[in-house]
Amino acid sequence: MTDGSSQAWLDRYARSVMQTFGTPQRVLVRGEGPYVWDADGNRYLDLLGGIATNSLGHAHPLLVAAVTAQLTTLGHVSNFFASAPQVALAERLLQVAGAPQGSAVFFANSGAEANEAAFKMTRRTGRTKVVSTLGAFHGRTMGALALTAKEAYRAPFEPLPGGVEFVPYGDLGALGRAVDGATAAVFLEPLQGENGVVPAPDGYLAGARRITAEHGALLVLDEVQTGIGRTGEWFAFQNPRHEGVVPDVVTVAKGLGGGVPVGGVIAFGPANATLLGAGQHGTTFGGNPVAAAAGLAVLHAVERDGLLENVRTVGAHLRTAVQSLGHPLVEGVRGEGLLLGVALTAPVAPKVAEAALARGFIVNAARPDTVRLAPPLVLTTAQADTFVAALPEILDTVGEGVSS
């Protein structure tokens, strides 16, 4: 009989899987709602959600039924043909994004692929200069990596596609000085997730829209981590504090498929929708009927079950509860909805994540001084409170020996 323990699986992993991600923390074998279980039978409250991906949690009945039903009818076709789920998902995305008449969607398989496609769209403007921000993360494919500021990710693969200039995130003055008549596009995240959950300041997106419009440049918003209800709106740019900004392009992935790989580029208006013409870009699996069915199921569940309101309610509760602990290691909580960063007073976030895992909670260190929370949108207040109740002990264990 094959040993089914975590250690046995880790041994097999080490012998067969590229060590791109290092040694896995656990071997997970099943999930239900916001919980997962490892190969040794231990249960964890998943407060990371596959990094903001498992929007409906694990094994959600509606998602399971939609994918199963689609596989029994039509699993895959090439993009020489259309499928009903593909068309319906595109229509629904345009609707929830508030995109005007003449807008269109290109489907991909991931956030990096969506940003790669958006990068190619910028070249079709006839300009080659692109402005991104320090702290940005747009993916690890060569084009998406060119838009990503983190040197540790970039250096091993340079030279990357050129023409990208980085400015400080949230600094409208710097953005205004960088954008000129040669600029094809500005890429921005409404909230920088990988940089420690850093929200755009009030007025920043609206200011970026004014600057790009003045110079005829595209405003591309990367909503891969923030889209599909993560911040309490369908998309983060729809938060009223962003003053009704209308972007040219929005990229989406992660939570759209609820764990099934799907990504997309939403081009606002007919001029932007035609930037990638026939034969100028493609994908084998993008818009796959099964992935599209998953996306439709997620959007339906978010609307049917009032998950946008749930995200706002549980997110606000979680933020307040953590801050109210008054723990000396907690500086504050940043973020929106259920994308939160617990800012620490010492660079011990990796140790906090490790200690939390030992106590049955999955979180991650977005940076040395920030613990990121991105749980399923179905998380309840009671479930969140189990983490809040355990957090002081977790922090106390990590805080031993940390100077004040």
Side-chain angles (χ1 to χ4, degrees), residues 286-300:
N288 172 280
V290 175
L296 284 167
V298 168
L299 295 178
H300 179 63

Side-chain angles (χ1 to χ4, degrees), residues 36-383:
V36 292
W37 284 260
D38 68 19
D40 298 323
N42 301 303
R43 190 184 78 164
Y44 306 86
L45 180 60
D46 184 3
L47 295 172
L48 188 57
I51 310 182
T53 298
N54 297 103
S55 45
L56 303 182
H58 302 272
H60 191 282
L62 184 62
L63 182 57
V64 171
V67 168
T68 302
Q70 187 58 49
L71 274 170
T72 64
T73 55
L74 188 67
H76 178 74
V77 295
S78 76
N79 278 306
F80 293 126
F81 304 91
S83 72
Q86 175 196 45
V87 175
L89 181 58
E91 291 173 338
R92 189 74 176 106
L93 279 173
L94 294 174
Q95 182 182 42
V96 299
Q101 187 72 27
S103 302
V105 178
F106 172 83
F107 285 113
N109 310 288
S110 68
E113 289 183 37
N115 285 327
E116 194 87 20
F119 197 180
K120 288 181 73 173
M121 290 171 69
T122 71
R123 292 288 199 255
R124 296 291 297 154
T125 67
R127 304 176 182 182
T128 58
K129 179 181 175 181
V130 172
V131 178
S132 184
T133 59
L134 297 173
F137 181 84
H138 297 292
R140 298 185 193 245
T141 56
M142 293 296 276
L145 188 56
L147 301 166
T148 296
K150 191 168 182 177
E151 186 63 21
Y153 294 162
R154 298 168 57 88
F157 304 102
E158 292 176 336
L160 297 169
V164 181
E165 180 178 337
F166 295 100
V167 298
Y169 184 70
D171 186 337
L172 272 180
L175 187 64
R177 291 187 292 273
V179 177
D180 55 27
T183 304
V186 172
F187 277 75
L188 294 175
E189 298 160 276
L191 192 159
Q192 290 189 328
E194 295 300 312
N195 192 34
V197 191
V198 180
D202 289 351
Y204 183 60
L205 295 189
R209 174 71 287 181
R210 290 192 295 271
I211 291 167
T212 51
E214 178 183 348
H215 294 283
L218 301 175
L219 177 61
V220 182
L221 297 183
D222 179 344
E223 293 252 16
V224 169
Q225 194 161 145
T226 56
I228 316 301
R230 173 59 50 189
T231 66
E233 307 288 344
W234 281 111
F235 293 94
F237 77 84
Q238 294 169 330
N239 188 305
R241 71 186 188 85
H242 295 310
E243 304 173 30
V245 63
V246 178
D248 295 297
V249 178
V250 171
T251 58
V252 62
K254 286 189 178 290
L256 176 59
V260 176
V262 57
V265 179
I266 306 172
F268 283 59
N272 298 322
T274 55
L275 282 174
L276 288 181
Q280 293 178 343
H281 195 50
T283 169
T284 296
F285 291 104
N288 172 280
V290 175
L296 284 167
V298 168
L299 295 178
H300 179 63
V302 170
E303 183 174 57
R304 182 196 68 181
D305 299 337
L307 294 185
L308 296 182
E309 178 61 30
N310 187 68
V311 167
R312 292 191 289 268
T313 299
V314 178
H317 173 82
L318 188 53
R319 174 204 290 267
T320 301
V322 171
Q323 290 182 152
S324 297
L325 292 174
H327 196 280
L329 264 181
V330 175
E331 183 177 285
V333 183
R334 298 186 296 266
E336 298 175 1
L338 285 176
L339 183 55
L340 300 174
V342 180
L344 305 176
T345 56
V348 293
K351 291 183 179 179
V352 172
E354 182 180 352
L357 188 63
R359 287 161 176 78
F361 302 97
I362 298 176
V363 301
N364 93 303
R367 65 187 192 196
D369 64 352
T370 305
V371 172
R372 174 172 48 180
L373 308 177
L377 310 187
V378 298
L379 185 75
T380 67
T381 298
Q383 290 161 346

